[in-house]
Amino acid sequence: MDYTCRLDGAKMICTITPDRDLSAPIFCFSGMSPMTATGGGSRLRGMGSFTEIALPDLKAGQPHDVVVEYTHGHKPANRAWLPLGPYLRVGQDVIALPYQPKGCVPPALPDLGPFKGLPLVPQPQRWEPRGGTLDIAGVQCSDDALRAVADLAKRRGWTFNGAFPVTITTADMPDDAYRLEIAPDSIQITAGSYGGRFYAGITLLTLMQAGPLPCGVITDAPRFGWRGQHLDTARHYYHPQTILDLLDLMALLKLNRFHWHFADDEAFRLQIDSYPELWRKTEFCGEGHLLPALFAGGVEAGGSYSKDTARAIIAHAAALNIEVMPEIEAPAHAIAMTHVFPDTRDPADNGPETSVQGYQGNCVNPAMPKTWEVLEAIAREVGDLFPFGHLHLGCDELPKDTWMGSPKARALMAAEGLETTQDLQGWTIAKLAATVVQNGQRPTAWEEAAQGSNGGIGHDAILFSWTGQGPGLEAARAGYDVVMSPAQHVYLDMAHSADPDDWGASWAAFISLADTINWDPVPDPALSDRIIGVQGTFWSEFTTKDDQIWPMLMPRMLGVAVKAWQVADPSADDLTRLAVLYQDIWPVETGA
């Protein structure tokens, strides 16, 4: 069986050459959003981006072209938009098509010459060189934080633990701040917290990879307390080791918040006890499963995370001074939940709402008792598992006019004095947030949670501004704490460039390394107390193998680290010089 696919403007031309005669085959695949056939077959059915196309009988050895196009005005930006995980269904047989597209190959970094400062990302607040160097093989790691650095180094194949003594002094300093003094005959760390000692060790470890230690004094502290990276493990199941590797990379860049997005339309991947059917019925998608092969790399894909695995990830993160924040996702992005629990929807709802991913009816209905039975139980159980004490509730991308066709929702709105979809969303997320607070956690959500006539989620929630900085600034002015995560700069699933041979999404922007620092997290100084952090984001619609993420994340995660830690940005050229250094520290395989 031979299969190829290529871009031709807005069209995608898929050529199937069977090795035997096939009677009435059905061509199945996924993609970024809904698609249809405009030649060589006819669309049969689909769910969201998953599409089935009825083909004519195919003859062995005779190529057959199927022309596929995106609907709703979308146009493929690059190779990543080609049909994903294609296969044929012929009667009861399923035939995987031999299509393994090469993943992201990021643009080569130009050689701009050596970087004149310290080979560190992020750069420290202050560096006082004193001349000379200290050439050592390793340092004594009697402190718990330095032992964690030594463990990280060992996992990366580096040496950190050794014989050279390090003096550690405790002082009254902000969280994660440190002072590191390197002399020809001594190293001294001063800090007031585990994080400060750990980051002093990370600085030492990173400098050691570049050669002898430069003598001088580093005085350092982060700009923001929240320095995050998000990973979507709902659309692609990442092996736990990949998550542990990502946490190691975050630690090297002094990021301290891991946003674990394991629930979405496509799956609920945490093995909870309160509703085990939720993860058991959605952990795998594809042929023979509740949901079709949404964003899968073939006929079947998936997996789920046990509570013991989650605890191991939490413990690994804690040693790296990283807190883990889970996300459960409500009221939209809930196709998985509504398929497992149909009574979270009003059966009389005749509304036409469709999500931006092409799903119909992907929202739970707040007027249905089952909705609250499930959501509140999940919120309590997930909140109890994660010691950080923050639970992300989702609340993004509610389709236009959701619930307007539901008699039950309309009755609820009348009873509560609500008029619009956004009013009911605000009421819903505030009610769920109250459960989170009662359970001892702080609620967080995407920017849309501020919408509604009641002021939105409330309950001292943290909001993440993703469509741009504007909604975050508005939320900050309304009294919310805000983490800035503007898609135009730190959505690392976006393609690096407009080259059709690149890889990734494009709806927000094409994001180069320079773009990751070309913005100000606090454009209004009056809101500096309310903007509490910066976070990078990675969605997994295009990911079918774990190793595809690294050339997407790196080197652009360097920009996330810079915005989260530094007050003054380096120039784009200097960030490029530093990125060249980090190619040796965190090598990226680009073949996928």
Side-chain angles (χ1 to χ4, degrees):
M1 188 73 64
D2 187 48
Y3 173 84
T4 61
C5 193
R6 62 183 175 86
L7 286 175
D8 182 9
K11 298 178 180 180
M12 296 166 284
I13 302 175
C14 305
T15 303
I16 302 169
T17 307
D19 55 4
R20 56 192 179 276
D21 291 350
L22 299 176
S23 177
I26 299 172
F27 180 36
C28 307
F29 54 86
S30 190
M32 184 61 179
S33 65
M35 291 180 275
T36 192
T38 57
S42 57
R43 189 178 191 275
L44 191 62
R45 56 182 167 264
M47 175 187 288
S49 68
F50 182 79
T51 304
E52 297 185 2
I53 295 175
L55 304 181
D57 293 346
L58 302 182
K59 295 294 184 181
Q62 296 185 9
H64 178 77
D65 287 346
V66 186
V67 181
V68 178
E69 295 186 47
Y70 281 93
T71 57
H72 307 296
H74 293 151
K75 181 180 178 181
N78 51 50
R79 297 175 296 110
W81 290 64
L82 294 172
L84 187 67
Y87 65 92
L88 297 176
R89 187 188 305 118
V90 185
Q92 299 299 312
D93 296 330
V94 175
I95 305 169
L97 294 174
Y99 182 60
Q100 293 295 333
K102 190 176 183 181
C104 172
V105 181
L109 294 171
D111 184 0
L112 299 176
F115 180 66
K116 295 180 180 179
L118 291 172
L120 292 171
V121 175
Q123 286 285 290
Q125 276 191 359
R126 186 175 173 188
W127 162 238
E128 303 171 46
R130 293 185 176 174
T133 59
L134 174 60
D135 193 359
I136 56 175
V139 299
Q140 292 180 359
C141 298
S142 57
D143 172 78
D144 55 351
L146 293 186
R147 285 194 294 272
V149 175
D151 290 342
L152 188 162
K154 184 177 180 180
R155 291 191 293 270
R156 298 300 306 164
W158 305 331
T159 298
F160 184 70
N161 194 8
F164 196 85
V166 176
T167 302
I168 298 177
T169 303
T170 301
D172 184 12
M173 300 176 71
D175 285 347
D176 298 344
Y178 65 92
R179 183 180 186 273
L180 174 62
E181 183 173 356
I182 303 170
D185 58 354
S186 65
I187 295 176
Q188 180 164 326
I189 293 171
T190 304
S193 63
Y194 176 91
R197 301 193 307 275
F198 179 77
Y199 291 135
I202 288 293
T203 294
L204 272 176
L205 174 64
T206 307
L207 291 174
M208 287 169 65
Q209 306 316 303
L213 297 171
C215 292
V217 178
I218 293 173
T219 306
D220 205 7
R223 179 179 186 181
F224 294 110
W226 192 293
R227 306 180 301 280
Q229 179 60 47
H230 155 288
L231 181 65
D232 167 19
T233 68
R235 295 186 176 94
H236 173 72
Y237 170 78
Y238 293 87
H239 190 279
Q241 183 59 51
T242 301
I243 298 176
L244 299 180
D245 289 342
L246 175 59
L247 292 169
D248 283 354
L249 176 57
M250 289 175 60
L252 286 171
L253 299 179
K254 299 184 173 74
L255 301 176
N256 69 343
R257 300 287 187 264
F258 174 51
H259 180 167
W260 192 359
H261 185 96
F262 53 70
D264 212 297
D265 281 310
E266 294 75 18
F268 190 99
R269 299 204 186 278
L270 183 64
Q271 296 178 9
I272 57 174
D273 301 318
S274 54
Y275 287 98
E277 61 267 46
L278 181 56
W279 62 267
R280 285 175 178 161
K281 291 183 177 181
T282 68
E283 62 176 334
F284 287 95
C285 66
E287 293 291 308
H289 296 286
L290 179 66
L291 298 177
L294 301 165
F295 304 118
V299 176
E300 178 188 70
S304 60
Y305 304 98
S306 70
K307 283 190 173 182
D308 283 345
T309 295
R311 293 185 185 101
I313 289 170
I314 292 166
H316 187 95
L320 301 172
N321 198 50
I322 296 171
E323 298 281 8
V324 182
M325 177 183 67
E327 180 177 352
I328 62 172
E329 196 68 84
H333 284 285
I335 277 289
M337 184 174 290
T338 60
H339 274 64
V340 176
F341 305 112
D343 43 357
T344 58
R345 297 273 304 171
D346 180 355
D349 190 343
N350 62 1
E353 72 270 10
T354 302
S355 78
V356 294
Q357 293 84 16
Y359 296 115
Q360 293 182 325
N362 80 327
C363 305
V364 295
N365 192 313
M368 304 299 291
K370 187 68 172 183
T371 293
W372 295 105
E373 177 187 317
V374 174
L375 286 181
E376 290 180 342
I378 291 173
R380 293 188 183 98
E381 183 174 355
V382 174
D384 288 344
L385 177 62
F386 289 82
F388 181 34
H390 292 64
L391 180 62
H392 199 293
L393 302 179
C395 201
D396 62 319
E397 295 189 320
L398 189 73
K400 182 180 179 181
D401 294 332
T402 295
W403 305 309
M404 295 300 99
S406 163
K408 291 184 181 295
R410 286 287 198 175
L412 174 62
M413 293 173 69
E416 296 292 335
L418 308 173
E419 296 183 359
T420 69
T421 290
Q422 284 66 40
D423 292 345
L424 184 52
Q425 175 182 252
W427 181 92
T428 301
I429 206 69
K431 178 177 169 68
L432 185 56
T435 297
V436 173
V437 172
Q438 291 165 7
N439 201 44
Q441 286 90 41
R442 186 179 185 184
T444 74
W446 299 109
E447 64 187 42
E448 292 95 322
Q451 296 173 357
S453 58
N454 66 335
I457 187 173
H459 299 288
D460 191 32
I462 299 172
L463 297 186
F464 291 71
S465 189
W466 65 276
T467 62
Q469 291 184 265
L473 298 175
E474 292 176 11
R477 293 185 184 106
Y480 287 103
D481 285 345
V482 173
V483 175
M484 285 294 182
S485 187
Q488 301 83 359
H489 298 282
V490 294
Y491 264 40
L492 304 184
D493 56 302
M494 297 294 128
H496 293 254
S497 73
D499 187 337
D501 199 40
D502 206 338
W503 186 268
S506 59
W507 60 263
F510 298 111
I511 299 177
S512 68
L513 176 62
D515 292 328
T516 63
I517 60 168
N518 189 27
W519 63 290
D520 183 357
V522 190
D524 182 352
L527 301 176
S528 59
D529 290 343
R530 285 296 181 186
I531 298 174
I532 65 170
V534 167
Q535 181 166 290
T537 304
F538 188 84
W539 301 103
S540 299
E541 287 93 341
F542 299 125
T543 306
T544 59
K545 294 182 178 180
D546 285 19
D547 61 5
Q548 290 173 336
I549 69 169
W550 303 118
M552 295 294 287
L553 293 175
M554 290 293 281
R556 295 182 296 179
M557 262 181 77
L558 302 178
V560 176
V562 165
K563 301 307 292 190
W565 187 279
Q566 295 179 210
V567 175
D569 293 337
S571 69
D573 283 352
D574 278 347
L575 183 59
T576 299
R577 293 182 177 96
L578 287 163
V580 170
L581 294 172
Y582 272 74
Q583 286 179 330
D584 293 331
I585 293 176
W586 195 273
V588 169
E589 296 294 333
T590 57

